Amino acid sequence: MVSGFRTSISEEERIRLKQAGMIFETKTGLFSCKIITDSGVMDCERMQHVVHLSEQYGDGRLTFTEDECVMIQGISYENTGAVLSYLRDYEMRAGGTGKRVRPVVSCEDAICDYSIYDVKDLGEKFQALFYHRLANERMPGKLEIALDGCPNNCSASTQYDIGVHGVQVPLFNMRACMGCMHCSVLESCSKGAVTRDSHGIVIDEGKCSRCGECVKVCPYGTTSESTVGYRVYVGGRHGEANMIGRKLSRIFTTEESLFSVVDRIIFFYQEEGRNGERLFDTIERIGFREMERRVLA
């Protein structure tokens, strides 16, 4: 185990290393290396390399960050170059710090019955398009992106700068409704969006989360069809000043349209954001309606 406290490292050198994914540990004088995964996924071969680095240059322990990176702790300043060189040799990457787009966070859809789309597959595409492609582009502040497979919001994506929910919008065929005493559509809805009157079921659009749980449960075909897509939230943040992002008025039904609007949001932030300002603050200053008008144009 490496130990010791080094105070002679200049502030400029700490900043340089932080940009490379080496974060200074103020309590120990050592460094932690933040290694990027594929939206929370790392194969066994690469993980073995990480374990080797931790045992040889760190304190033998690994931690896992909120943005789904792997952290090697306890690296001495003298060994930072060797660790970064090793990662490059095996086509692995450290980073995810500073005023840049951060690694993409995604929920664990593999063990979830409610996910509407393949979150890990979309997460890898987001990681390539918005983290790796923009890794060297400066932003006004850090910009965090999170994906959830459904409106249950398990990754709290509504509290990220850009959050994405999978949605399934039921298309109600009210002519098929038989007014059953035990209505399967009503019973399937956990949001209280479905009620019943003398004419059949009534949908409260304001309460409907577009989770898709009511789709295909009606034996008479009242909810036999639906539209699957993505809902985008903008301007959320977590931490002490946590804030729920506001949802764009449009639901995006293709990956291409989703990628396009996220690209436009990031461009808006680069163009309008002031140094040190988070996306929420930029939107508050410019106005949500103006931001939405520009990114949906």
Side-chain angles (χ1 to χ4, degrees):
M1 177 175 176
V2 180
S3 62
F5 187 87
R6 184 185 180 93
T7 59
S8 59
I9 307 169
S10 68
E11 184 64 21
E12 292 77 10
E13 179 66 354
R14 292 183 193 179
I15 292 172
R16 183 190 72 81
L17 286 168
K18 185 176 181 180
Q19 291 173 344
M22 284 286 181
I23 303 169
F24 185 69
E25 302 172 4
T26 55
K27 292 182 179 180
T28 65
L30 302 173
F31 287 83
S32 289
C33 182
K34 187 176 182 181
I35 302 172
I36 309 302
T37 68
D38 294 327
S39 191
V41 177
M42 178 176 283
D43 61 42
C44 293
E45 182 179 354
R46 288 190 297 165
M47 185 60 78
Q48 287 171 350
H49 288 304
V50 174
V51 170
H52 166 73
L53 286 172
S54 179
E55 291 176 340
Q56 182 165 351
Y57 298 112
D59 62 9
R61 296 180 299 165
L62 300 175
T63 58
F64 300 87
T65 66
E66 182 185 17
D67 54 358
E68 299 179 335
C69 296
V70 183
M71 192 88 82
I72 299 173
Q73 298 175 306
I75 302 169
S76 69
Y77 171 69
E78 291 77 10
N79 286 327
T80 55
V83 172
L84 293 172
S85 177
Y86 187 102
L87 291 173
R88 286 192 296 269
D89 288 344
Y90 288 95
E91 299 182 346
M92 301 172 69
R93 186 168 188 166
T97 60
K99 294 178 179 180
R100 291 178 170 82
V101 176
R102 297 297 182 86
V104 177
V105 174
S106 59
C107 69
E108 292 299 328
D109 67 321
I111 55 174
C112 178
D113 294 330
Y114 301 101
S115 186
I116 294 168
Y117 66 94
D118 188 332
V119 182
K120 290 304 179 184
D121 178 68
L122 187 68
E124 290 183 15
K125 294 174 182 176
F126 260 70
Q127 193 84 314
L129 282 171
F130 303 115
Y131 176 71
H132 292 300
R133 180 171 65 90
L134 303 176
N136 295 321
E137 290 197 25
R138 294 278 292 179
M139 300 286 160
K142 66 179 179 181
L143 189 132
E144 299 176 315
I145 302 173
L147 312 178
D148 273 308
C150 73
N152 286 339
N153 200 35
C154 293
S155 291
S157 58
T158 54
Q159 291 182 276
Y160 282 70
D161 296 288
I162 301 172
V164 177
H165 283 180
V167 293
Q168 189 169 10
V169 184
L171 304 177
F172 294 99
N173 177 12
M174 303 310 296
R175 292 182 179 180
C177 178
M178 302 296 289
C180 302
M181 290 299 295
H182 296 286
C183 174
S184 56
V185 176
L186 189 154
E187 293 173 354
S188 71
C189 181
S190 61
K191 307 300 186 296
V194 183
T195 55
R196 181 172 48 206
D197 63 15
S198 59
H199 302 288
I201 60 172
V202 179
I203 310 302
D204 185 333
E205 294 290 341
K207 291 183 178 180
C208 178
S209 68
R210 280 64 173 173
C211 66
E213 287 301 296
C214 66
V215 174
K216 296 184 178 180
V217 299
C218 175
Y220 301 104
T222 306
T223 56
S224 60
E225 297 183 7
S226 65
T227 298
V228 174
Y230 309 95
R231 170 164 278 161
V232 177
Y233 292 81
V234 187
R237 62 185 181 189
H238 46 268
E240 184 178 2
N242 67 84
M243 184 68 62
I244 301 297
R246 296 178 64 178
K247 60 187 176 187
L248 298 181
S249 58
R250 186 181 303 169
I251 288 176
F252 304 91
T253 56
T254 66
E255 288 187 353
E256 290 71 21
S257 62
L258 176 64
F259 298 152
S260 177
V261 76
V262 172
D263 223 14
R264 287 170 177 264
I265 294 167
I266 295 173
F267 181 73
F268 168 84
Y269 182 44
Q270 288 179 300
E271 288 288 297
E272 298 291 350
R274 295 172 179 172
N275 185 40
E277 192 174 60
R278 294 293 298 274
L279 179 57
F280 166 84
D281 301 303
T282 304
I283 293 171
E284 284 290 290
R285 181 167 48 80
I286 302 295
F288 180 83
R289 289 186 179 180
E290 173 61 14
M291 180 279 300
E292 184 177 42
R293 182 191 69 80
R294 288 164 62 173
V295 303
L296 296 182

